[in-house]
Amino acid sequence: MRRWVLFGMCLVLGACAASIGLAPPPNLYRAGTNYPEARVPQSLRTAEPKIFYMTDRVFDGSDYGYDRSQSMAFGAATVKFGRDLDWAELLNRTRADSNENISTLWVPEFEEIVRFEATPLPYERRDGRLRHQPDSRAKYDEQTGQFQAVIANEIRQTGNKRLLIYIHGFNTDFEDSLTTIANMWHFAGRQTVPISFTWPAGNGAGPLGYFRDRDAGTFSVHHTKEFLRMLAAIPEVEQIDFIAHSRGTDVATTALRELMIEARGRGIHPKLALKAGTLIMAAPDLDVDIVRQRLQAELFSEAFEQINLYINPQDGALRLSAYLTRSVRLGALRDEDLQEGELALLAKEGLVHLIRVEDVRGGFGHAYFRDNPAVLSDVVLALRTRAFPGGTLRPLDQDENGLWVLHSNYPLDRLPDISIFEEREIERENR
């Protein structure tokens, strides 16, 4: 019996890697309404957009694989929606009432723009302190400036002053990390600069591959911190939103937590230091008790406008993760896993929103954030309107315990025309 259980684990834990197609349109765009076509910058009205990436995967001459690199690489990739679509055809297939599908998103080409010095940088003891050697530090700072200049130029060209960072999960390859963020960014209205931080996941399927990927994620925490520091230091950047999935939530929250501690040590409010906006954690593969002690107890949420946690108690991949680690996983949280008064405390705090996704089908219930029309609708609303759950712009319901519930037909008839809201926001900003 145990042999069959392990065989099933190999199948499920290998399921995070899959060919990425254009997701079914969010319910939000039913009948062609609500997509902000007029607000998409002219340079971004294309079915072959540019998606930026930062990675610490080893480049083998043709692709970035799953081996670890001591140095980061920054670049830009072209992501194609289908084979020969133009912008008008892509918009048509973005509507929920369209019967036309896009078979796949793919990456025909990418270019490495900046290769950073390997870390740790060489250091020495001077004047009783450990300091980086001046030459290596100067090279690294020069490379940082080159990276920041590219992002600043993109902001100037598009007018998009917000960034959207995606940090993927277990068993995800380089191309899938790019096509996934392209999906999310497109449906969110292309009003941000999209960047995938792609760490060296993909170390094989099954339990051994899972634990190798866990270590690979830990390896990438330092590079993630460096990446986020560099972004926050760009004057043109106004705000940074995050989407993290599965094991990527551990990479993201560990790096962000350490940066928060650093900011507090310098006497700076974490939100100002990080320029952090919305944090979206989909199917988070995190130990619930560790989250309580390392995030909640240390007031992690004060660094963000809001944190949206999407959970599915039937998530097959996270149930197997719980079996392997013998711990409750945050993304598969059940009512009985909550401590007394926990939801009331979160409600009083007002920044962390637990959202249970109903009627998840396919893919072991783990990749719903990118292919479920209801979840996509709420992610888009959170990013576009900055609204909290339960209001007019995000009409989520609550169950008897106070947990937010995302029904499969959300939001449909309960949503007003959000383009009117966005026009008012623009007018307010221009006054």
Side-chain angles (χ1 to χ4, degrees), residues 54-187:
M54 184 75 85
T55 187
D56 54 3
R57 297 173 182 265
V58 166
F59 183 64
D60 63 10
S62 61
D63 197 7
Y64 295 99
Y66 58 82
D67 288 329
R68 306 173 187 177
S69 171
Q70 304 298 322
S71 65
M72 294 188 296
F74 167 69
T78 298
V79 175
K80 291 195 69 170
F81 288 73
R83 292 287 168 179
D84 298 304
L85 292 182
D86 60 22
W87 174 240
E89 291 173 310
L90 176 55
L91 281 179
N92 181 56
R93 301 183 192 199
T94 301
R95 300 202 319 263
D97 64 345
S98 172
N99 294 320
E100 297 180 275
N101 295 317
I102 293 175
S103 58
T104 188
L105 274 67
W106 57 295
V107 179
E109 59 185 7
F110 59 87
E111 176 190 8
E112 187 172 296
I113 300 172
V114 180
R115 168 64 64 171
F116 288 83
E117 291 290 290
T119 55
L121 297 176
Y123 55 87
E124 59 192 9
R125 183 181 291 278
R126 297 198 313 271
D127 303 324
R129 297 183 61 185
L130 293 177
R131 304 176 187 272
H132 290 126
Q133 293 179 359
D135 288 349
S136 61
R137 183 75 247 181
K139 287 180 183 178
Y140 191 80
D141 290 343
E142 180 183 355
Q143 292 151 359
T144 298
Q146 293 170 356
F147 159 64
Q148 292 171 325
V150 172
I151 300 301
N153 184 60
E154 183 71 10
I155 291 172
R156 286 190 292 270
Q157 287 188 349
T158 63
N160 290 339
K161 299 178 181 179
R162 282 171 30 214
L163 310 182
L164 180 63
I165 309 302
Y166 173 58
I167 303 179
H168 60 75
F170 160 80
N171 201 28
T172 300
D173 64 25
F174 172 70
E175 182 166 343
D176 285 351
S177 75
L178 292 167
T179 54
T180 296
I181 189 176
N183 245 328
M184 309 297 289
W185 171 75
H186 171 68
F187 282 124

Side-chain angles (χ1 to χ4, degrees), residues 218-247:
T218 302
F219 162 81
S220 293
V221 167
H222 173 71
H223 288 148
T224 308
K225 289 165 56 180
E226 289 291 280
F227 167 59
L228 297 180
R229 273 198 202 98
M230 295 172 189
L231 290 177
I234 300 173
E236 290 83 356
V237 172
E238 286 189 354
Q239 197 166 62
I240 305 174
D241 296 324
F242 305 87
I243 300 175
H245 177 235
S246 189
R247 284 304 305 163

Side-chain angles (χ1 to χ4, degrees), residues 278-282 306-310 351 353 355 382 389 394:
T278 296
L279 171 60
I280 291 170
M281 298 169 64
Q306 60 174 309
I307 299 175
N308 296 295
L309 302 172
Y310 294 95
L351 296 172
H353 315 300
I355 305 168
R394 284 182 70 191

